[in-house]
Amino acid sequence: MAYEIPTPKYLRVLNTLRKRIEDGDYAPGAALPSENQLCTEFGVSRPTVLKALGILKQDGWIESQQGKGSFVRGRPASGRTSPDYARDAVELDETGETEILHVGPVLASPRIAAELKIPEGTPVYERRRRTVSEAGPVDLVATFVPVDIAVGTDITRPDPIAGGLLDLIARHKGLRADYATERMTARRVSDVEAEALQVPADESVMSVVITVHQASGNPIMTSVLVMPGSRHEIEDTYAIS
């Protein structure tokens, strides 16, 4: 005789809420129904609802705010944290061993436009800097930020930014970095990069395009890191720690 094992009640609540988030019924930033509303909808007790919400929070799907309820974060990124070179590119304190080479509006190239999900030629703010050591330039980083995120912050000013761009954007715009995508290629250095890095015009460089996203998937900024060296193209995703 076959026995049918019923799905635990908390799993039914958990799976339904998670599917609604995946399908966009509950958008990132939206409030979930109250605990009482969920109890009524699913016909379960409050401890059952709390267990389902606790697992969703633990796995990164939602977050809770004291006295306000639970809010959607979106689909969690992979648990891998950002490598050192990526962290330096997107979170580096500019008051350290860096030189600011350019700050100002530029038109988004096809690659940058695709990363930021905006039309090609849309104005964005660029912050271009290089890291230096006693031996000379180490790397070159150009960061591109949408105008609506940059305006009203020090991103538009030529002065070095203490604490890094992501902290600045979180404080002034309320946008939290959740994960980053990375695309790495080996190519020949451009004339502008060769001059900034003080390398020969035929030098091979490693170019890493790192785009930081909110949990919703909306991009916050894109950084292009250029370092002397070579490597095959790699695409990756990791959490922002």
mmCIF file of all heavy atoms in Angstrom, residues 89-90 94 102 104-113 115-118 122-129 140-150 155 165-166 169 193 207-212 219-226:
data_model
loop_
_atom_site.group_PDB
_atom_site.id
_atom_site.type_symbol
_atom_site.label_atom_id
_atom_site.label_comp_id
_atom_site.label_asym_id
_atom_site.label_seq_id
_atom_site.Cartn_x
_atom_site.Cartn_y
_atom_site.Cartn_z
ATOM 1 N N ALA A 89 38.134 47.464 -7.087
ATOM 2 C CA ALA A 89 37.621 48.251 -8.210
ATOM 3 C C ALA A 89 36.347 48.994 -7.853
ATOM 4 O O ALA A 89 36.151 50.144 -8.250
ATOM 5 C CB ALA A 89 37.379 47.351 -9.424
ATOM 6 N N VAL A 90 35.454 48.362 -7.106
ATOM 7 C CA VAL A 90 34.144 48.977 -6.860
ATOM 8 C C VAL A 90 33.997 49.575 -5.463
ATOM 9 O O VAL A 90 33.073 50.342 -5.222
ATOM 10 C CB VAL A 90 32.998 47.972 -7.099
ATOM 11 C CG1 VAL A 90 33.027 47.470 -8.521
ATOM 12 C CG2 VAL A 90 33.060 46.814 -6.116
ATOM 13 N N GLU A 94 39.066 56.263 -2.368
ATOM 14 C CA GLU A 94 39.867 57.037 -3.318
ATOM 15 C C GLU A 94 40.894 57.936 -2.642
ATOM 16 O O GLU A 94 41.719 58.545 -3.328
ATOM 17 C CB GLU A 94 38.951 57.892 -4.200
ATOM 18 C CG GLU A 94 38.087 57.079 -5.146
ATOM 19 C CD GLU A 94 37.210 57.952 -6.013
ATOM 20 O OE1 GLU A 94 37.066 59.159 -5.713
ATOM 21 O OE2 GLU A 94 36.660 57.437 -7.000
ATOM 22 N N HIS A 102 39.963 61.644 -14.277
ATOM 23 C CA HIS A 102 38.835 62.323 -14.935
ATOM 24 C C HIS A 102 37.560 62.107 -14.149
ATOM 25 O O HIS A 102 37.293 61.004 -13.676
ATOM 26 C CB HIS A 102 38.624 61.800 -16.361
ATOM 27 C CG HIS A 102 37.425 62.397 -17.033
ATOM 28 N ND1 HIS A 102 36.209 61.740 -17.108
ATOM 29 C CD2 HIS A 102 37.237 63.596 -17.644
ATOM 30 C CE1 HIS A 102 35.336 62.498 -17.751
ATOM 31 N NE2 HIS A 102 35.922 63.626 -18.077
ATOM 32 N N GLY A 104 33.464 63.419 -14.782
ATOM 33 C CA GLY A 104 32.546 64.221 -15.572
ATOM 34 C C GLY A 104 31.629 63.369 -16.419
ATOM 35 O O GLY A 104 31.772 62.146 -16.489
ATOM 36 N N PRO A 105 30.658 64.012 -17.071
ATOM 37 C CA PRO A 105 29.705 63.262 -17.897
ATOM 38 C C PRO A 105 30.333 62.797 -19.196
ATOM 39 O O PRO A 105 31.124 63.512 -19.811
ATOM 40 C CB PRO A 105 28.588 64.273 -18.152
ATOM 41 C CG PRO A 105 29.248 65.609 -18.020
ATOM 42 C CD PRO A 105 30.333 65.451 -17.008
ATOM 43 N N VAL A 106 29.987 61.590 -19.616
ATOM 44 C CA VAL A 106 30.390 61.031 -20.910
ATOM 45 C C VAL A 106 29.182 60.317 -21.490
ATOM 46 O O VAL A 106 28.191 60.089 -20.790
ATOM 47 C CB VAL A 106 31.583 60.053 -20.771
ATOM 48 C CG1 VAL A 106 32.817 60.754 -20.230
ATOM 49 C CG2 VAL A 106 31.196 58.872 -19.883
ATOM 50 N N LEU A 107 29.262 59.976 -22.769
ATOM 51 C CA LEU A 107 28.186 59.224 -23.399
ATOM 52 C C LEU A 107 28.473 57.728 -23.286
ATOM 53 O O LEU A 107 29.588 57.283 -23.573
ATOM 54 C CB LEU A 107 28.039 59.632 -24.865
ATOM 55 C CG LEU A 107 27.741 61.117 -25.115
ATOM 56 C CD1 LEU A 107 27.585 61.385 -26.611
ATOM 57 C CD2 LEU A 107 26.500 61.558 -24.355
ATOM 58 N N ALA A 108 27.483 56.977 -22.873
ATOM 59 C CA ALA A 108 27.672 55.540 -22.652
ATOM 60 C C ALA A 108 27.993 54.825 -23.958
ATOM 61 O O ALA A 108 27.265 54.949 -24.944
ATOM 62 C CB ALA A 108 26.421 54.941 -22.022
ATOM 63 N N SER A 109 29.090 54.075 -23.945
ATOM 64 C CA SER A 109 29.452 53.240 -25.084
ATOM 65 C C SER A 109 28.479 52.072 -25.173
ATOM 66 O O SER A 109 27.706 51.822 -24.239
ATOM 67 C CB SER A 109 30.870 52.704 -24.893
ATOM 68 O OG SER A 109 30.903 51.796 -23.793
ATOM 69 N N PRO A 110 28.480 51.332 -26.287
ATOM 70 C CA PRO A 110 27.577 50.171 -26.384
ATOM 71 C C PRO A 110 27.738 49.192 -25.222
ATOM 72 O O PRO A 110 26.746 48.677 -24.699
ATOM 73 C CB PRO A 110 27.967 49.547 -27.730
ATOM 74 C CG PRO A 110 28.480 50.695 -28.540
ATOM 75 C CD PRO A 110 29.197 51.578 -27.556
ATOM 76 N N ARG A 111 28.978 48.936 -24.811
ATOM 77 C CA ARG A 111 29.211 47.972 -23.729
ATOM 78 C C ARG A 111 28.686 48.493 -22.398
ATOM 79 O O ARG A 111 28.000 47.778 -21.650
ATOM 80 C CB ARG A 111 30.708 47.663 -23.616
ATOM 81 C CG ARG A 111 31.054 46.594 -22.562
ATOM 82 C CD ARG A 111 30.402 45.278 -22.914
ATOM 83 N NE ARG A 111 30.649 44.221 -21.968
ATOM 84 C CZ ARG A 111 31.673 43.375 -22.009
ATOM 85 N NH1 ARG A 111 32.591 43.511 -22.965
ATOM 86 N NH2 ARG A 111 31.807 42.414 -21.140
ATOM 87 N N ILE A 112 28.980 49.758 -22.087
ATOM 88 C CA ILE A 112 28.527 50.330 -20.825
ATOM 89 C C ILE A 112 27.012 50.466 -20.807
ATOM 90 O O ILE A 112 26.349 50.194 -19.798
ATOM 91 C CB ILE A 112 29.200 51.690 -20.576
ATOM 92 C CG1 ILE A 112 30.722 51.530 -20.478
ATOM 93 C CG2 ILE A 112 28.660 52.336 -19.318
ATOM 94 C CD1 ILE A 112 31.185 50.538 -19.432
ATOM 95 N N ALA A 113 26.435 50.850 -21.935
ATOM 96 C CA ALA A 113 24.976 50.975 -22.025
ATOM 97 C C ALA A 113 24.300 49.633 -21.769
ATOM 98 O O ALA A 113 23.282 49.555 -21.066
ATOM 99 C CB ALA A 113 24.585 51.528 -23.391
ATOM 100 N N GLU A 115 25.486 47.122 -20.020
ATOM 101 C CA GLU A 115 25.654 46.754 -18.615
ATOM 102 C C GLU A 115 24.680 47.522 -17.719
ATOM 103 O O GLU A 115 24.120 46.965 -16.773
ATOM 104 C CB GLU A 115 27.095 47.020 -18.169
ATOM 105 C CG GLU A 115 28.139 46.127 -18.803
ATOM 106 C CD GLU A 115 28.024 44.681 -18.361
ATOM 107 O OE1 GLU A 115 27.614 44.442 -17.205
ATOM 108 O OE2 GLU A 115 28.336 43.780 -19.166
ATOM 109 N N LEU A 116 24.480 48.809 -18.016
ATOM 110 C CA LEU A 116 23.622 49.648 -17.185
ATOM 111 C C LEU A 116 22.164 49.622 -17.627
ATOM 112 O O LEU A 116 21.315 50.288 -17.022
ATOM 113 C CB LEU A 116 24.141 51.088 -17.195
ATOM 114 C CG LEU A 116 25.500 51.323 -16.516
ATOM 115 C CD1 LEU A 116 25.931 52.775 -16.667
ATOM 116 C CD2 LEU A 116 25.436 50.936 -15.038
ATOM 117 N N LYS A 117 21.882 48.877 -18.706
ATOM 118 C CA LYS A 117 20.513 48.734 -19.219
ATOM 119 C C LYS A 117 19.914 50.090 -19.604
ATOM 120 O O LYS A 117 18.783 50.420 -19.230
ATOM 121 C CB LYS A 117 19.629 48.018 -18.198
ATOM 122 C CG LYS A 117 20.106 46.624 -17.843
ATOM 123 C CD LYS A 117 19.196 45.967 -16.819
ATOM 124 C CE LYS A 117 19.711 44.572 -16.441
ATOM 125 N NZ LYS A 117 18.877 43.922 -15.405
ATOM 126 N N ILE A 118 20.698 50.873 -20.351
ATOM 127 C CA ILE A 118 20.252 52.174 -20.825
ATOM 128 C C ILE A 118 20.561 52.262 -22.313
ATOM 129 O O ILE A 118 21.392 51.493 -22.835
ATOM 130 C CB ILE A 118 20.957 53.330 -20.082
ATOM 131 C CG1 ILE A 118 22.486 53.196 -20.211
ATOM 132 C CG2 ILE A 118 20.547 53.359 -18.616
ATOM 133 C CD1 ILE A 118 23.267 54.318 -19.567
ATOM 134 N N THR A 122 23.520 57.407 -23.918
ATOM 135 C CA THR A 122 22.931 58.094 -22.765
ATOM 136 C C THR A 122 24.045 58.683 -21.902
ATOM 137 O O THR A 122 25.039 58.015 -21.638
ATOM 138 C CB THR A 122 22.096 57.111 -21.920
ATOM 139 O OG1 THR A 122 21.052 56.577 -22.720
ATOM 140 C CG2 THR A 122 21.507 57.813 -20.708
ATOM 141 N N PRO A 123 23.909 59.938 -21.435
ATOM 142 C CA PRO A 123 24.941 60.499 -20.550
ATOM 143 C C PRO A 123 25.042 59.720 -19.232
ATOM 144 O O PRO A 123 24.027 59.355 -18.641
ATOM 145 C CB PRO A 123 24.449 61.936 -20.309
ATOM 146 C CG PRO A 123 23.568 62.243 -21.468
ATOM 147 C CD PRO A 123 22.892 60.941 -21.799
ATOM 148 N N VAL A 124 26.255 59.461 -18.812
ATOM 149 C CA VAL A 124 26.548 58.858 -17.509
ATOM 150 C C VAL A 124 27.733 59.605 -16.926
ATOM 151 O O VAL A 124 28.468 60.287 -17.644
ATOM 152 C CB VAL A 124 26.885 57.352 -17.627
ATOM 153 C CG1 VAL A 124 25.669 56.545 -18.077
ATOM 154 C CG2 VAL A 124 28.051 57.124 -18.581
ATOM 155 N N TYR A 125 27.922 59.491 -15.623
ATOM 156 C CA TYR A 125 29.100 60.109 -15.006
ATOM 157 C C TYR A 125 30.231 59.092 -14.934
ATOM 158 O O TYR A 125 30.035 57.950 -14.510
ATOM 159 C CB TYR A 125 28.777 60.624 -13.603
ATOM 160 C CG TYR A 125 28.352 62.071 -13.607
ATOM 161 C CD1 TYR A 125 27.013 62.404 -13.702
ATOM 162 C CD2 TYR A 125 29.286 63.108 -13.564
ATOM 163 C CE1 TYR A 125 26.596 63.735 -13.734
ATOM 164 C CE2 TYR A 125 28.893 64.430 -13.598
ATOM 165 C CZ TYR A 125 27.552 64.745 -13.679
ATOM 166 O OH TYR A 125 27.155 66.050 -13.720
ATOM 167 N N GLU A 126 31.401 59.535 -15.365
ATOM 168 C CA GLU A 126 32.590 58.688 -15.298
ATOM 169 C C GLU A 126 33.524 59.210 -14.214
ATOM 170 O O GLU A 126 33.766 60.415 -14.116
ATOM 171 C CB GLU A 126 33.336 58.686 -16.630
ATOM 172 C CG GLU A 126 34.615 57.834 -16.579
ATOM 173 C CD GLU A 126 35.566 58.114 -17.743
ATOM 174 O OE1 GLU A 126 35.738 59.305 -18.100
ATOM 175 O OE2 GLU A 126 36.141 57.161 -18.275
ATOM 176 N N ARG A 127 34.043 58.277 -13.425
ATOM 177 C CA ARG A 127 35.155 58.562 -12.507
ATOM 178 C C ARG A 127 36.285 57.624 -12.912
ATOM 179 O O ARG A 127 36.155 56.408 -12.770
ATOM 180 C CB ARG A 127 34.767 58.320 -11.049
ATOM 181 C CG ARG A 127 33.713 59.289 -10.523
ATOM 182 C CD ARG A 127 33.507 59.126 -9.025
ATOM 183 N NE ARG A 127 34.673 59.558 -8.261
ATOM 184 C CZ ARG A 127 34.895 60.813 -7.883
ATOM 185 N NH1 ARG A 127 34.022 61.768 -8.205
ATOM 186 N NH2 ARG A 127 35.971 61.120 -7.183
ATOM 187 N N ARG A 128 37.366 58.180 -13.443
ATOM 188 C CA ARG A 128 38.498 57.370 -13.896
ATOM 189 C C ARG A 128 39.692 57.659 -12.997
ATOM 190 O O ARG A 128 40.067 58.800 -12.778
ATOM 191 C CB ARG A 128 38.827 57.680 -15.359
ATOM 192 C CG ARG A 128 39.890 56.734 -15.932
ATOM 193 C CD ARG A 128 39.982 56.837 -17.436
ATOM 194 N NE ARG A 128 40.536 58.104 -17.892
ATOM 195 C CZ ARG A 128 39.862 59.039 -18.523
ATOM 196 N NH1 ARG A 128 38.560 58.874 -18.771
ATOM 197 N NH2 ARG A 128 40.441 60.153 -18.901
ATOM 198 N N ARG A 129 40.283 56.597 -12.494
ATOM 199 C CA ARG A 129 41.413 56.743 -11.580
ATOM 200 C C ARG A 129 42.422 55.633 -11.828
ATOM 201 O O ARG A 129 42.107 54.629 -12.472
ATOM 202 C CB ARG A 129 40.929 56.659 -10.130
ATOM 203 C CG ARG A 129 40.463 55.269 -9.732
ATOM 204 C CD ARG A 129 40.124 55.172 -8.265
ATOM 205 N NE ARG A 129 39.900 53.796 -7.855
ATOM 206 C CZ ARG A 129 38.715 53.194 -7.836
ATOM 207 N NH1 ARG A 129 37.643 53.859 -8.220
ATOM 208 N NH2 ARG A 129 38.606 51.934 -7.438
ATOM 209 N N LEU A 140 44.120 50.624 -13.727
ATOM 210 C CA LEU A 140 43.308 51.752 -14.167
ATOM 211 C C LEU A 140 41.848 51.339 -14.017
ATOM 212 O O LEU A 140 41.455 50.264 -14.468
ATOM 213 C CB LEU A 140 43.619 52.094 -15.623
ATOM 214 C CG LEU A 140 42.874 53.260 -16.271
ATOM 215 C CD1 LEU A 140 43.274 54.575 -15.616
ATOM 216 C CD2 LEU A 140 43.176 53.295 -17.774
ATOM 217 N N VAL A 141 41.043 52.196 -13.384
ATOM 218 C CA VAL A 141 39.633 51.889 -13.163
ATOM 219 C C VAL A 141 38.776 53.054 -13.640
ATOM 220 O O VAL A 141 38.995 54.199 -13.216
ATOM 221 C CB VAL A 141 39.323 51.616 -11.676
ATOM 222 C CG1 VAL A 141 37.837 51.336 -11.492
ATOM 223 C CG2 VAL A 141 40.149 50.453 -11.151
ATOM 224 N N ALA A 142 37.831 52.770 -14.520
ATOM 225 C CA ALA A 142 36.848 53.763 -14.953
ATOM 226 C C ALA A 142 35.480 53.285 -14.479
ATOM 227 O O ALA A 142 35.037 52.196 -14.855
ATOM 228 C CB ALA A 142 36.865 53.934 -16.461
ATOM 229 N N THR A 143 34.826 54.079 -13.658
ATOM 230 C CA THR A 143 33.511 53.719 -13.126
ATOM 231 C C THR A 143 32.456 54.621 -13.733
ATOM 232 O O THR A 143 32.623 55.841 -13.779
ATOM 233 C CB THR A 143 33.490 53.845 -11.588
ATOM 234 O OG1 THR A 143 34.425 52.917 -11.038
ATOM 235 C CG2 THR A 143 32.110 53.542 -11.034
ATOM 236 N N PHE A 144 31.363 54.012 -14.185
ATOM 237 C CA PHE A 144 30.284 54.737 -14.852
ATOM 238 C C PHE A 144 29.012 54.603 -14.019
ATOM 239 O O PHE A 144 28.585 53.498 -13.696
ATOM 240 C CB PHE A 144 30.068 54.180 -16.258
ATOM 241 C CG PHE A 144 31.312 54.235 -17.107
ATOM 242 C CD1 PHE A 144 32.212 53.176 -17.118
ATOM 243 C CD2 PHE A 144 31.597 55.351 -17.872
ATOM 244 C CE1 PHE A 144 33.367 53.219 -17.879
ATOM 245 C CE2 PHE A 144 32.758 55.409 -18.642
ATOM 246 C CZ PHE A 144 33.639 54.345 -18.653
ATOM 247 N N VAL A 145 28.412 55.751 -13.682
ATOM 248 C CA VAL A 145 27.242 55.794 -12.810
ATOM 249 C C VAL A 145 26.113 56.533 -13.522
ATOM 250 O O VAL A 145 26.333 57.627 -14.057
ATOM 251 C CB VAL A 145 27.570 56.511 -11.478
ATOM 252 C CG1 VAL A 145 26.381 56.463 -10.530
ATOM 253 C CG2 VAL A 145 28.801 55.900 -10.826
ATOM 254 N N PRO A 146 24.902 55.959 -13.570
ATOM 255 C CA PRO A 146 23.780 56.677 -14.179
ATOM 256 C C PRO A 146 23.595 58.055 -13.556
ATOM 257 O O PRO A 146 23.833 58.244 -12.354
ATOM 258 C CB PRO A 146 22.577 55.768 -13.884
ATOM 259 C CG PRO A 146 23.175 54.403 -13.745
ATOM 260 C CD PRO A 146 24.508 54.619 -13.094
ATOM 261 N N VAL A 147 23.161 59.017 -14.372
ATOM 262 C CA VAL A 147 23.044 60.401 -13.925
ATOM 263 C C VAL A 147 22.109 60.529 -12.731
ATOM 264 O O VAL A 147 22.395 61.261 -11.778
ATOM 265 C CB VAL A 147 22.566 61.302 -15.084
ATOM 266 C CG1 VAL A 147 22.217 62.699 -14.584
ATOM 267 C CG2 VAL A 147 23.641 61.388 -16.162
ATOM 268 N N ASP A 148 20.978 59.808 -12.746
ATOM 269 C CA ASP A 148 20.017 59.959 -11.658
ATOM 270 C C ASP A 148 20.561 59.452 -10.329
ATOM 271 O O ASP A 148 20.101 59.881 -9.265
ATOM 272 C CB ASP A 148 18.701 59.248 -11.995
ATOM 273 C CG ASP A 148 18.878 57.756 -12.214
ATOM 274 O OD1 ASP A 148 19.955 57.350 -12.663
ATOM 275 O OD2 ASP A 148 17.932 56.993 -11.943
ATOM 276 N N ILE A 149 21.556 58.571 -10.369
ATOM 277 C CA ILE A 149 22.196 58.099 -9.141
ATOM 278 C C ILE A 149 23.326 59.042 -8.730
ATOM 279 O O ILE A 149 23.507 59.328 -7.543
ATOM 280 C CB ILE A 149 22.731 56.671 -9.318
ATOM 281 C CG1 ILE A 149 21.568 55.700 -9.553
ATOM 282 C CG2 ILE A 149 23.550 56.226 -8.110
ATOM 283 C CD1 ILE A 149 21.997 54.266 -9.804
ATOM 284 N N ALA A 150 24.064 59.562 -9.698
ATOM 285 C CA ALA A 150 25.225 60.397 -9.398
ATOM 286 C C ALA A 150 24.852 61.797 -8.917
ATOM 287 O O ALA A 150 25.492 62.345 -7.998
ATOM 288 C CB ALA A 150 26.116 60.501 -10.635
ATOM 289 N N ILE A 155 29.823 62.152 -6.281
ATOM 290 C CA ILE A 155 30.290 61.451 -7.470
ATOM 291 C C ILE A 155 30.570 62.422 -8.607
ATOM 292 O O ILE A 155 31.463 62.197 -9.435
ATOM 293 C CB ILE A 155 29.246 60.398 -7.914
ATOM 294 C CG1 ILE A 155 29.202 59.259 -6.899
ATOM 295 C CG2 ILE A 155 29.554 59.849 -9.315
ATOM 296 C CD1 ILE A 155 28.105 58.249 -7.152
ATOM 297 N N LEU A 165 32.525 54.336 -3.399
ATOM 298 C CA LEU A 165 31.315 54.810 -4.062
ATOM 299 C C LEU A 165 30.064 54.097 -3.569
ATOM 300 O O LEU A 165 28.992 54.705 -3.459
ATOM 301 C CB LEU A 165 31.443 54.633 -5.575
ATOM 302 C CG LEU A 165 32.561 55.406 -6.271
ATOM 303 C CD1 LEU A 165 32.446 55.230 -7.780
ATOM 304 C CD2 LEU A 165 32.520 56.877 -5.913
ATOM 305 N N LEU A 166 30.156 52.800 -3.300
ATOM 306 C CA LEU A 166 28.964 52.065 -2.887
ATOM 307 C C LEU A 166 28.427 52.559 -1.557
ATOM 308 O O LEU A 166 27.204 52.675 -1.370
ATOM 309 C CB LEU A 166 29.256 50.568 -2.825
ATOM 310 C CG LEU A 166 29.532 49.885 -4.166
ATOM 311 C CD1 LEU A 166 29.817 48.409 -3.964
ATOM 312 C CD2 LEU A 166 28.365 50.083 -5.120
ATOM 313 N N ILE A 169 26.689 55.910 -2.268
ATOM 314 C CA ILE A 169 25.388 55.741 -2.924
ATOM 315 C C ILE A 169 24.358 55.203 -1.939
ATOM 316 O O ILE A 169 23.195 55.614 -1.946
ATOM 317 C CB ILE A 169 25.538 54.806 -4.137
ATOM 318 C CG1 ILE A 169 26.351 55.505 -5.235
ATOM 319 C CG2 ILE A 169 24.174 54.382 -4.680
ATOM 320 C CD1 ILE A 169 26.748 54.602 -6.380
ATOM 321 N N GLU A 193 44.833 53.990 -22.321
ATOM 322 C CA GLU A 193 45.226 53.113 -21.217
ATOM 323 C C GLU A 193 46.738 52.950 -21.155
ATOM 324 O O GLU A 193 47.319 52.924 -20.061
ATOM 325 C CB GLU A 193 44.559 51.748 -21.384
ATOM 326 C CG GLU A 193 43.050 51.785 -21.224
ATOM 327 C CD GLU A 193 42.370 50.542 -21.756
ATOM 328 O OE1 GLU A 193 43.026 49.744 -22.461
ATOM 329 O OE2 GLU A 193 41.162 50.361 -21.473
ATOM 330 N N SER A 207 41.189 43.035 -18.916
ATOM 331 C CA SER A 207 40.089 43.988 -18.737
ATOM 332 C C SER A 207 38.932 43.279 -18.044
ATOM 333 O O SER A 207 38.457 42.245 -18.519
ATOM 334 C CB SER A 207 39.640 44.535 -20.091
ATOM 335 O OG SER A 207 38.511 45.377 -19.947
ATOM 336 N N VAL A 208 38.494 43.825 -16.918
ATOM 337 C CA VAL A 208 37.421 43.234 -16.133
ATOM 338 C C VAL A 208 36.275 44.245 -16.021
ATOM 339 O O VAL A 208 36.470 45.333 -15.489
ATOM 340 C CB VAL A 208 37.888 42.829 -14.724
ATOM 341 C CG1 VAL A 208 36.805 42.020 -14.014
ATOM 342 C CG2 VAL A 208 39.189 42.053 -14.776
ATOM 343 N N VAL A 209 35.116 43.887 -16.553
ATOM 344 C CA VAL A 209 33.932 44.738 -16.464
ATOM 345 C C VAL A 209 33.072 44.209 -15.318
ATOM 346 O O VAL A 209 32.592 43.077 -15.356
ATOM 347 C CB VAL A 209 33.132 44.740 -17.779
ATOM 348 C CG1 VAL A 209 31.896 45.629 -17.655
ATOM 349 C CG2 VAL A 209 34.011 45.203 -18.929
ATOM 350 N N ILE A 210 32.899 45.025 -14.281
ATOM 351 C CA ILE A 210 32.188 44.626 -13.072
ATOM 352 C C ILE A 210 30.971 45.527 -12.910
ATOM 353 O O ILE A 210 31.106 46.742 -12.778
ATOM 354 C CB ILE A 210 33.091 44.741 -11.826
ATOM 355 C CG1 ILE A 210 34.380 43.945 -12.025
ATOM 356 C CG2 ILE A 210 32.353 44.284 -10.576
ATOM 357 C CD1 ILE A 210 35.461 44.280 -11.036
ATOM 358 N N THR A 211 29.788 44.936 -12.936
ATOM 359 C CA THR A 211 28.551 45.703 -12.771
ATOM 360 C C THR A 211 27.890 45.307 -11.462
ATOM 361 O O THR A 211 27.637 44.128 -11.212
ATOM 362 C CB THR A 211 27.588 45.464 -13.944
ATOM 363 O OG1 THR A 211 28.235 45.863 -15.159
ATOM 364 C CG2 THR A 211 26.313 46.291 -13.770
ATOM 365 N N VAL A 212 27.623 46.303 -10.636
ATOM 366 C CA VAL A 212 27.016 46.089 -9.325
ATOM 367 C C VAL A 212 25.509 46.302 -9.435
ATOM 368 O O VAL A 212 25.051 47.282 -10.021
ATOM 369 C CB VAL A 212 27.609 47.053 -8.282
ATOM 370 C CG1 VAL A 212 26.949 46.839 -6.918
ATOM 371 C CG2 VAL A 212 29.114 46.858 -8.181
ATOM 372 N N PRO A 219 20.890 47.728 -12.201
ATOM 373 C CA PRO A 219 22.297 48.075 -12.008
ATOM 374 C C PRO A 219 22.466 49.392 -11.270
ATOM 375 O O PRO A 219 21.656 50.318 -11.429
ATOM 376 C CB PRO A 219 22.833 48.155 -13.440
ATOM 377 C CG PRO A 219 21.642 48.454 -14.281
ATOM 378 C CD PRO A 219 20.477 47.806 -13.615
ATOM 379 N N ILE A 220 23.515 49.472 -10.483
ATOM 380 C CA ILE A 220 23.861 50.698 -9.762
ATOM 381 C C ILE A 220 25.018 51.409 -10.464
ATOM 382 O O ILE A 220 24.987 52.624 -10.654
ATOM 383 C CB ILE A 220 24.246 50.386 -8.305
ATOM 384 C CG1 ILE A 220 23.049 49.815 -7.546
ATOM 385 C CG2 ILE A 220 24.796 51.623 -7.601
ATOM 386 C CD1 ILE A 220 23.371 49.382 -6.133
ATOM 387 N N MET A 221 26.029 50.644 -10.865
ATOM 388 C CA MET A 221 27.179 51.240 -11.557
ATOM 389 C C MET A 221 27.991 50.140 -12.214
ATOM 390 O O MET A 221 27.859 48.951 -11.872
ATOM 391 C CB MET A 221 28.058 52.042 -10.588
ATOM 392 C CG MET A 221 28.774 51.207 -9.547
ATOM 393 S SD MET A 221 29.711 52.231 -8.383
ATOM 394 C CE MET A 221 30.818 50.984 -7.681
ATOM 395 N N THR A 222 28.820 50.549 -13.163
ATOM 396 C CA THR A 222 29.713 49.624 -13.859
ATOM 397 C C THR A 222 31.142 50.150 -13.777
ATOM 398 O O THR A 222 31.378 51.331 -14.035
ATOM 399 C CB THR A 222 29.322 49.473 -15.340
ATOM 400 O OG1 THR A 222 28.056 48.816 -15.427
ATOM 401 C CG2 THR A 222 30.352 48.648 -16.099
ATOM 402 N N SER A 223 32.066 49.276 -13.413
ATOM 403 C CA SER A 223 33.484 49.640 -13.365
ATOM 404 C C SER A 223 34.260 48.786 -14.358
ATOM 405 O O SER A 223 34.025 47.587 -14.474
ATOM 406 C CB SER A 223 34.058 49.428 -11.953
ATOM 407 O OG SER A 223 33.492 50.318 -11.024
ATOM 408 N N VAL A 224 35.179 49.430 -15.071
ATOM 409 C CA VAL A 224 36.068 48.730 -15.998
ATOM 410 C C VAL A 224 37.476 48.798 -15.403
ATOM 411 O O VAL A 224 38.075 49.874 -15.326
ATOM 412 C CB VAL A 224 36.043 49.344 -17.400
ATOM 413 C CG1 VAL A 224 36.973 48.570 -18.333
ATOM 414 C CG2 VAL A 224 34.616 49.361 -17.954
ATOM 415 N N LEU A 225 37.985 47.648 -14.976
ATOM 416 C CA LEU A 225 39.316 47.537 -14.376
ATOM 417 C C LEU A 225 40.282 47.018 -15.430
ATOM 418 O O LEU A 225 40.019 45.996 -16.073
ATOM 419 C CB LEU A 225 39.260 46.579 -13.183
ATOM 420 C CG LEU A 225 40.585 46.074 -12.608
ATOM 421 C CD1 LEU A 225 41.375 47.225 -11.995
ATOM 422 C CD2 LEU A 225 40.328 44.975 -11.582
ATOM 423 N N VAL A 226 41.384 47.720 -15.618
ATOM 424 C CA VAL A 226 42.391 47.319 -16.601
ATOM 425 C C VAL A 226 43.717 47.116 -15.877
ATOM 426 O O VAL A 226 44.205 48.018 -15.187
ATOM 427 C CB VAL A 226 42.545 48.379 -17.716
ATOM 428 C CG1 VAL A 226 43.624 47.942 -18.707
ATOM 429 C CG2 VAL A 226 41.217 48.591 -18.431
#
